[in-house]
Amino acid sequence: MRSLRPLLFGVGAAAALTVWPAHYAHALGADEAAQAAQRSIADAQNEVPSIQRAIATAKTAVRFPAQRIAEGDLLLRNKDYDRAAIVFNEVIEKYADNPTVHAEASFLLGETYYRSKQLLSARRVFRRVVETGQSGRMAAYQPEALARLVDIALRTRDLRELDEIFAKMSQVPSAKVESILAYSRGRGLLAKKDFSGARQSLSSVPATSPYHHQARYLLALAAVKEAQASAPAEAPKSEAPKTEAAKTDAAKAAQAANRGRYAQAIEAFREVTRLPPDTPEHKHVVDLSWMAIGRLFYETDQWNAAAEAYNHVDRSSPEFGTMLYELASVYVRLGDVQRAQRALEVLSIADPDSSDIAEGSLLRGDLLLRTGQFPKSLETYESVHKQYEPMRLKVDSFLGATNDPAVYYDKLRTEQLEITSEGTQLPPLAVQWAREAEDGPEAFAVLDEVVKTRNLIKQSQALVDKLGVLMGAPNRIRAFPELRAGEQRAIGIINSLMKARVTLAEGLDDVEDSRLSGEIAAVREQRRALQGQVLSLPVSDADFMQLDEQASKEWNTLSQKVQQLTLQIDTLQSIVNALRRVLREGPAQGVVRDAVSQRRLEDELAANERDIALYRARVAEVHKMVDTGRMAAGFGDQKFTQDASLRAQFKQLLAREVQLATQGSGGGKAVAYAIRIAPMLGQADQVDDAVNNMRADIARQVQKKTKEMQELVYQESSKILDYAAKLDTLDQEARLVVGQVAMRNFGLVRDRLKNIVLRADVGVTEEAWEVREEQVTRVRNLLTERARSERLLDEELREVLDDASDEPGGAKQ
């Protein structure tokens, strides 16, 4: 960076010379120089009041609250939830006395938390909106907040607070929001299994409501729940029919009863499918209705009708993968093996990450085996084994690392559910299955919230550290935009006065004797050496912006080099991971190594991984240093300190030179010119003093604001420490229970993977057995055909011999 500074400084000087007025680019005459400098000094004196105007303008240039809300809303729509939450929190804190802005920002903050799945934070904000929304501006957002509270209660499975929410809903006076409240109330009542109340509430949602499709779907779902609740209990074994005919009659009667029971629900779902799919959400509701119809037909053994319903689901639907697997099951029931195979093939291509892909692949292998396509069935079974056996081994190794639920929870929390102690990544599908298992959503939600909260605390602490660095930096005025604007204008005025002094110096060069000696010659030589640098000092806003861009570019270059090092480290890590895989899968590929070589290679890889971890730590430290340096660069940095020293030195040299010239050291013409410009220099010094007095006042304001900011940062830092301590306390309370649930769920996942692999191995065995049976049958058939052919040949030979013996002389022949 030091080596780049002279080069960049020279480039800045050249750029400044190009924008200086043309008649200053060459040596000016004494009269021209004096007149031009007099005008510049007068202009600078007139511009002194503009310093306060710049401060006032910068204060009013702060964006209006509506602009800040629009910015946060745009971030929310772009799913940048962290930055959106920061914006809305700032608006709420800064404009607490503006009811309109405070209400809108509060609701959008709750929406931001809800969409980012910070449900507890969203519930806290929405509760505040509901409690303060009885009147005033907040009342407009109360219905949506109540609806969101119902959503949060359903997502967290905390149905105890629904009664309180329903009571709040009944207090909302506005009739314009009846649809959203009726829909939310119906959802809550359906979750509480109050089917009649849910039906009454959902039926009141008008057709013009954006929730009409969802309401009709939930009405149909309520009909299904009621049909299931009214199903007769299964007859005891002692009362079960004993004869086959009686069993058949009982099955037909049960089937007819099921069809009649679900007929109303099927018709209700059909009504939903007739609604217009005018939005993506409504289109999804229609697809869900077709899925429900197909499932109900499947449950009532109406296979053709089920297949027809499933085929209505669009390819672009999120339910398309699930539909293909269920449709294949329907075709199996119908005995249409080819269509079932086709559906499963499409599933493997259209949705390879589906949770049904394993069952679908095994079913496809069974169908191929049933139709005699042995090579394809073997390939299918082997692909399933190859895909899920490594998953089973990783999960088994993960579970075998410890039997202590607390340690297990700590490991999951530390590695964010992705990395084991050996550095191997858990299969995403296994994590997904563990999340979907019993009590999985709640347990893994706690883990996710712990990880997310720790990251937020870490980010907050990093922000506090950056603010501390900025408040301790010499250019901390950058943290206060209005004071920076005044300081920038003041420095611009001072630099314009310095350029006016350069103009006077050019006029002095025109009248001084070229054969000077002594002190004045040395002073002039030093002054001329600094003159080009003084001309490059920034004056206008564009000049200061250019300096900021140069400083930012320097640090961006360093940041890019750090990023390149990070990419190289990631490449090395990928190579190490690939080599580990080669060592692990070598025996399966026919590459067998002795134990000593295997151990040596593993030790080398482990040493390389330790080096990579060290490199990552060093790069992270450098990245932190770059971020710190970036905050200290720009306006007010070391460059401005050097400029201040340059101004003082040039000013002193010019004053001494003028003094010597006045005493006659520069010749007769120089004496007259020096006497002429001495008052101008005095006037420039007076303007400098006035500007510096204003800069001193700005510095005092910066000091005051810095102290206030440091106190605020200290308070926030203390709060962050308190939050971290509370999180540790809650973490200790949850680690045993959540760890037990998570370990149990991963045990279920291991058993599921084991079952899949076992079924694949059984399929391979069955395929081999079927091939053997086919070969045995083929050999048996060939032997039978051979015996039959030999018998026929014997019979024909015997007939020929008999015919020959019947002819005259046949016996002799």
Side-chain angles (χ1 to χ4, degrees):
M1 296 305 298
R2 293 195 189 96
S3 63
L4 287 175
R5 179 64 68 184
L7 176 60
L8 294 173
F9 188 83
V11 174
L17 286 175
T18 59
V19 300
W20 192 246
H23 65 279
Y24 292 141
H26 60 276
L28 296 178
D31 292 337
E32 292 178 339
Q35 294 174 3
Q38 183 65 46
R39 289 193 299 269
S40 298
I41 293 173
D43 292 341
Q45 188 173 11
N46 294 331
E47 286 294 322
V48 172
S50 66
I51 298 175
Q52 292 296 334
R53 290 199 300 268
I55 295 176
T57 303
K59 288 182 178 179
T60 58
V62 177
R63 283 170 292 181
F64 294 106
Q67 294 175 317
R68 294 288 290 163
I69 289 179
E71 178 186 352
D73 189 33
L74 184 61
L75 293 170
L76 175 59
R77 294 176 185 273
N78 289 329
K79 299 182 179 181
D80 192 350
Y81 301 122
D82 293 338
R83 293 172 61 190
I86 292 174
V87 171
F88 292 134
N89 274 308
E90 289 177 353
V91 173
I92 292 172
E93 182 177 355
K94 190 172 183 179
Y95 302 100
D97 55 345
N98 189 329
T100 302
V101 173
H102 187 268
E104 185 175 2
S106 297
F107 177 76
L108 289 176
L109 177 62
E111 190 70 15
T112 301
Y113 286 144
Y114 178 79
R115 295 189 186 183
S116 61
K117 298 181 180 179
Q118 301 182 51
L119 300 180
L120 300 182
S121 298
R123 182 172 63 184
R124 183 186 69 252
V125 175
F126 284 129
R127 280 178 175 175
R128 186 167 65 244
V129 172
V130 172
E131 291 171 357
T132 59
Q134 301 297 331
S135 60
R137 300 291 185 180
M138 198 75 78
Y141 301 98
Q142 189 181 26
E144 288 83 356
L146 288 169
R148 281 304 188 203
L149 287 175
V150 173
D151 294 338
I152 294 171
L154 297 180
R155 287 179 178 268
T156 57
R157 300 185 183 183
D158 187 4
L159 305 182
R160 295 170 297 178
E161 62 179 11
L162 286 177
D163 293 335
E164 180 181 356
I165 298 174
F166 294 157
K168 294 287 186 180
M169 286 182 176
S170 61
Q171 299 174 5
V172 177
S174 178
K176 297 181 180 179
V177 293
E178 182 179 355
S179 62
I180 185 173
L181 292 182
Y183 171 67
S184 299
R185 183 191 296 273
R187 291 184 62 198
L189 292 174
L190 184 61
K192 296 185 68 175
K193 298 182 180 181
D194 186 357
F195 302 126
S196 60
R199 186 168 57 251
Q200 181 180 359
S201 182
L202 293 170
S203 299
S204 63
V205 178
T208 57
S209 171
Y211 305 100
H212 179 66
H213 290 62
Q214 293 90 326
R216 304 305 298 179
Y217 177 83
L218 291 180
L219 280 173
L221 183 61
V224 174
K225 298 292 186 180
E226 288 180 327
Q228 292 174 346
S230 63
E234 186 177 355
K237 293 184 178 181
S238 59
E239 301 179 5
K242 299 180 179 180
T243 64
E244 292 296 330
K247 291 181 180 180
T248 303
D249 294 340
K252 290 182 179 180
Q255 183 178 10
N258 286 334
R259 292 183 179 182
R261 185 181 304 112
Y262 292 118
Q264 183 179 358
I266 292 174
E267 183 58 30
F269 282 118
R270 285 194 182 277
E271 291 180 2
V272 179
T273 61
R274 300 187 187 102
L275 297 175
D278 46 2
T279 65
E281 293 79 9
H282 291 170
K283 186 177 180 180
H284 189 201
V285 173
V286 172
D287 291 333
L288 288 173
S289 300
W290 282 119
M291 292 286 293
I293 293 172
R295 288 165 179 165
L296 291 176
F297 279 137
Y298 183 88
E299 290 293 330
T300 55
D301 298 339
Q302 302 179 67
W303 319 120
N304 290 317
E308 181 182 358
Y310 280 125
N311 280 313
H312 280 87
V313 178
D314 190 76
R315 289 179 176 270
S316 60
S317 174
E319 308 299 326
F320 185 66
T322 306
M323 182 276 296
L324 289 173
Y325 177 72
E326 296 181 6
L327 180 62
S329 301
V330 172
Y331 284 141
V332 170
R333 290 284 189 171
L334 288 171
D336 194 341
V337 177
Q338 292 183 352
R339 288 189 177 182
Q341 292 179 5
R342 192 178 302 117
L344 294 173
E345 290 174 359
V346 175
L347 171 63
S348 63
I349 298 173
D351 193 6
D353 297 328
S354 172
S355 59
D356 299 320
I357 194 67
E359 299 292 337
S361 298
L362 291 172
L363 178 59
R364 181 166 172 258
D366 295 341
L367 295 175
L368 291 171
L369 184 64
R370 183 185 303 179
T371 56
Q373 303 179 54
F374 301 128
K376 290 185 178 180
S377 66
L378 178 61
E379 181 182 355
T380 302
Y381 288 131
E382 288 180 345
S383 65
V384 171
H385 179 90
K386 183 178 180 180
Q387 180 180 0
Y388 291 96
E389 176 65 11
M391 294 186 188
R392 185 192 66 81
L393 294 176
K394 289 181 180 180
V395 174
D396 190 57
S397 175
F398 186 59
L399 289 172
T402 179
N403 290 325
D404 185 1
V407 177
Y408 185 83
Y409 170 80
D410 291 338
K411 186 186 298 184
L412 286 177
R413 181 197 61 191
T414 304
E415 305 298 340
Q416 299 183 13
L417 306 176
E418 292 180 355
I419 305 175
T420 64
S421 58
E422 299 178 356
T424 57
Q425 187 176 0
L426 275 173
L429 185 61
V431 177
Q432 177 184 347
W433 287 353
R435 287 178 177 272
E436 295 172 352
E438 298 180 15
D439 300 324
E442 293 82 359
F444 281 84
V446 172
L447 287 171
D448 293 341
E449 290 297 330
V450 168
V451 173
K452 185 181 297 183
T453 305
R454 290 193 181 278
N455 288 335
L456 291 174
I457 291 176
K458 186 177 180 181
Q459 294 172 9
S460 301
Q461 188 60 52
L463 183 59
V464 167
D465 295 340
K466 288 183 178 180
L467 287 174
V469 172
L470 181 58
M471 292 298 102
N475 61 341
R476 53 180 173 269
I477 193 173
R478 296 177 60 200
F480 313 105
E482 67 280 1
L483 297 179
R484 171 190 164 153
E487 178 73 6
Q488 179 174 307
R489 190 72 194 98
I491 293 176
I493 294 174
I494 292 176
N495 289 340
S496 66
L497 289 172
M498 292 304 302
K499 292 186 178 183
R501 291 186 176 92
V502 171
T503 304
L504 293 175
E506 289 179 350
L508 189 60
D509 290 336
D510 184 59
V511 297
E512 281 182 338
D513 190 351
S514 60
R515 295 171 295 178
L516 295 178
S517 61
E519 182 183 359
I520 191 171
V523 171
R524 182 173 67 172
E525 183 179 358
Q526 296 178 32
R527 186 260 301 168
R528 286 181 174 178
L530 300 178
Q531 197 161 292
Q533 298 180 31
V534 173
L535 289 176
S536 68
L537 292 175
V539 175
S540 64
D541 293 340
D543 297 336
F544 287 100
M545 186 180 298
Q546 184 179 9
L547 291 177
D548 286 341
E549 290 177 353
Q550 290 177 357
S552 177
K553 185 177 181 181
E554 294 173 3
W555 288 105
N556 287 341
T557 302
L558 291 177
S559 179
Q560 290 172 3
K561 292 195 175 294
V562 173
Q563 186 65 27
Q564 291 174 2
L565 292 175
T566 303
L567 293 176
Q568 293 178 9
I569 292 174
D570 291 339
T571 302
L572 293 176
Q573 184 64 58
S574 300
I575 294 174
V576 169
N577 294 339
L579 291 175
R580 280 197 176 278
R581 182 175 180 180
V582 169
L583 290 178
R584 184 173 62 252
E585 298 180 357
Q589 303 296 331
V591 180
V592 181
R593 300 178 180 85
D594 59 275
V596 177
S597 300
Q598 184 81 8
R599 185 61 182 175
R600 178 176 58 82
L601 294 174
E602 291 179 353
D603 292 341
E604 290 181 3
L605 289 178
N608 289 327
E609 284 188 329
R610 289 192 293 270
D611 292 340
I612 289 174
L614 180 61
Y615 298 152
R616 286 190 186 277
R618 292 178 177 176
V619 169
E621 186 66 25
V622 173
H623 194 277
K624 184 177 180 180
M625 294 171 61
V626 170
D627 288 342
T628 304
R630 193 198 303 273
M631 296 188 64
F635 185 84
D637 61 0
Q638 185 64 27
K639 170 68 169 56
F640 286 78
T641 303
Q642 296 174 358
D643 290 346
S645 177
L646 172 65
R647 288 194 298 267
Q649 187 178 0
F650 184 83
K651 181 179 177 181
Q652 182 181 2
L653 290 172
L654 180 60
R656 180 58 179 165
E657 185 179 358
V658 171
Q659 181 183 4
L660 293 174
T662 304
Q663 296 172 0
S665 300
K669 293 182 179 180
V671 173
Y673 183 78
I675 294 174
R676 179 183 178 185
I677 67 174
M680 298 182 190
L681 292 177
Q683 183 182 1
D685 292 342
Q686 292 176 2
V687 177
D688 275 345
D689 293 339
V691 173
N692 285 327
N693 289 334
M694 300 185 72
R695 292 184 63 193
D697 182 64
I698 292 175
R700 287 191 291 272
Q701 295 184 47
V702 170
Q703 185 67 24
K704 179 181 177 182
K705 287 182 174 292
T706 300
K707 185 177 180 181
E708 295 174 355
M709 182 64 70
Q710 287 175 340
E711 293 177 355
L712 183 60
V713 169
Y714 176 77
Q715 293 174 4
E716 294 300 325
S717 180
S718 301
K719 291 181 180 179
I720 291 174
L721 294 177
D722 292 339
Y723 297 152
K726 292 179 180 179
L727 179 62
D728 290 336
T729 302
L730 296 174
D731 198 19
Q732 292 297 325
E733 294 176 357
R735 61 201 302 259
L736 182 61
V737 177
V738 175
Q740 186 70 42
V741 173
M743 188 166 71
R744 183 199 62 189
N745 285 5
F746 271 106
L748 296 175
V749 171
R750 177 188 57 189
D751 296 339
R752 182 176 178 181
L753 290 171
K754 182 179 179 181
N755 182 49
I756 292 172
V757 173
L758 181 61
R759 288 174 58 188
D761 292 340
V762 171
V764 172
T765 305
E766 289 183 352
E767 188 274 339
W769 183 263
E770 291 293 337
V771 170
R772 174 186 176 280
E773 288 297 319
E774 183 187 28
Q775 295 295 335
V776 169
T777 303
R778 183 180 178 185
V779 170
R780 187 181 297 112
N781 292 337
L782 289 175
L783 291 175
T784 302
E785 183 65 23
R786 177 181 178 182
R788 189 177 67 84
S789 298
E790 289 179 352
R791 187 176 67 255
L792 292 176
L793 289 174
D794 290 341
E795 291 176 355
E796 291 178 358
L797 178 61
R798 199 173 295 110
E799 290 177 359
V800 171
L801 293 177
D802 292 342
D803 292 342
S805 62
D806 293 340
E807 294 180 359
K812 182 179 180 180
Q813 294 176 359

